[in-house]
Short mmCIF file of all heavy atoms in Angstrom, two decimals:
data_model
loop_
_atom_site.label_atom_id
_atom_site.label_comp_id
_atom_site.label_asym_id
_atom_site.label_seq_id
_atom_site.Cartn_x
_atom_site.Cartn_y
_atom_site.Cartn_z
N VAL A 98 -23.48 -17.70 -17.08
CA VAL A 98 -24.58 -18.61 -16.73
C VAL A 98 -25.55 -18.73 -17.89
O VAL A 98 -25.99 -19.83 -18.25
CB VAL A 98 -25.30 -18.09 -15.46
CG1 VAL A 98 -26.53 -18.94 -15.16
CG2 VAL A 98 -24.34 -18.10 -14.27
N PHE A 160 -0.19 -3.13 -8.40
CA PHE A 160 1.19 -3.20 -8.88
C PHE A 160 1.50 -2.07 -9.86
O PHE A 160 2.50 -1.36 -9.72
CB PHE A 160 1.45 -4.55 -9.53
CG PHE A 160 2.73 -4.59 -10.33
CD1 PHE A 160 3.95 -4.71 -9.71
CD2 PHE A 160 2.70 -4.46 -11.72
CE1 PHE A 160 5.14 -4.72 -10.45
CE2 PHE A 160 3.87 -4.47 -12.47
CZ PHE A 160 5.09 -4.60 -11.82
N ALA A 238 -20.10 4.76 -5.75
CA ALA A 238 -19.08 5.39 -6.61
C ALA A 238 -19.32 6.88 -6.78
O ALA A 238 -18.46 7.57 -7.35
CB ALA A 238 -19.05 4.71 -7.97
N ALA A 276 -18.44 12.11 -21.24
CA ALA A 276 -18.16 10.67 -21.26
C ALA A 276 -18.89 9.95 -20.13
O ALA A 276 -19.36 8.82 -20.30
CB ALA A 276 -16.65 10.43 -21.16
N LEU A 398 -6.24 1.58 -2.46
CA LEU A 398 -5.59 2.89 -2.35
C LEU A 398 -4.67 2.91 -1.14
O LEU A 398 -3.57 3.47 -1.18
CB LEU A 398 -6.65 3.99 -2.23
CG LEU A 398 -7.66 4.09 -3.38
CD1 LEU A 398 -8.71 5.15 -3.08
CD2 LEU A 398 -6.95 4.40 -4.69
N VAL A 401 -1.48 0.86 -1.86
CA VAL A 401 -0.57 1.62 -2.72
C VAL A 401 0.24 2.61 -1.88
O VAL A 401 1.47 2.69 -1.98
CB VAL A 401 -1.36 2.36 -3.82
CG1 VAL A 401 -0.48 3.39 -4.52
CG2 VAL A 401 -1.92 1.36 -4.83
N ALA A 414 16.95 2.12 5.72
CA ALA A 414 16.71 1.40 6.96
C ALA A 414 17.93 0.58 7.38
O ALA A 414 18.72 0.13 6.54
CB ALA A 414 15.51 0.47 6.81
N TRP A 428 3.86 -11.71 7.80
CA TRP A 428 2.87 -12.11 8.79
C TRP A 428 1.43 -12.04 8.27
O TRP A 428 0.67 -13.02 8.46
CB TRP A 428 3.01 -11.27 10.07
CG TRP A 428 1.93 -11.60 11.06
CD1 TRP A 428 0.91 -10.81 11.47
CD2 TRP A 428 1.75 -12.84 11.75
NE1 TRP A 428 0.10 -11.45 12.36
CE2 TRP A 428 0.60 -12.72 12.55
CE3 TRP A 428 2.46 -14.05 11.75
CZ2 TRP A 428 0.12 -13.75 13.36
CZ3 TRP A 428 1.99 -15.09 12.55
CH2 TRP A 428 0.84 -14.93 13.35
N LEU A 469 -23.21 -23.51 4.09
CA LEU A 469 -24.07 -24.68 3.90
C LEU A 469 -23.35 -25.88 3.29
O LEU A 469 -23.63 -27.02 3.65
CB LEU A 469 -25.28 -24.31 3.03
CG LEU A 469 -26.32 -23.39 3.69
CD1 LEU A 469 -27.48 -23.15 2.74
CD2 LEU A 469 -26.83 -23.99 5.00
N HIS A 529 -27.35 -14.96 13.68
CA HIS A 529 -28.54 -15.15 14.51
C HIS A 529 -28.16 -15.25 15.98
O HIS A 529 -28.91 -14.78 16.86
CB HIS A 529 -29.30 -16.40 14.06
CG HIS A 529 -29.98 -16.23 12.75
ND1 HIS A 529 -30.52 -17.27 12.04
CD2 HIS A 529 -30.23 -15.12 12.01
CE1 HIS A 529 -31.06 -16.83 10.93
NE2 HIS A 529 -30.88 -15.52 10.88
#
Side-chain angles (χ1 to χ4, degrees):
V98 174
F160 166 78
L398 302 176
V401 167
W428 176 248
L469 289 182
H529 289 168

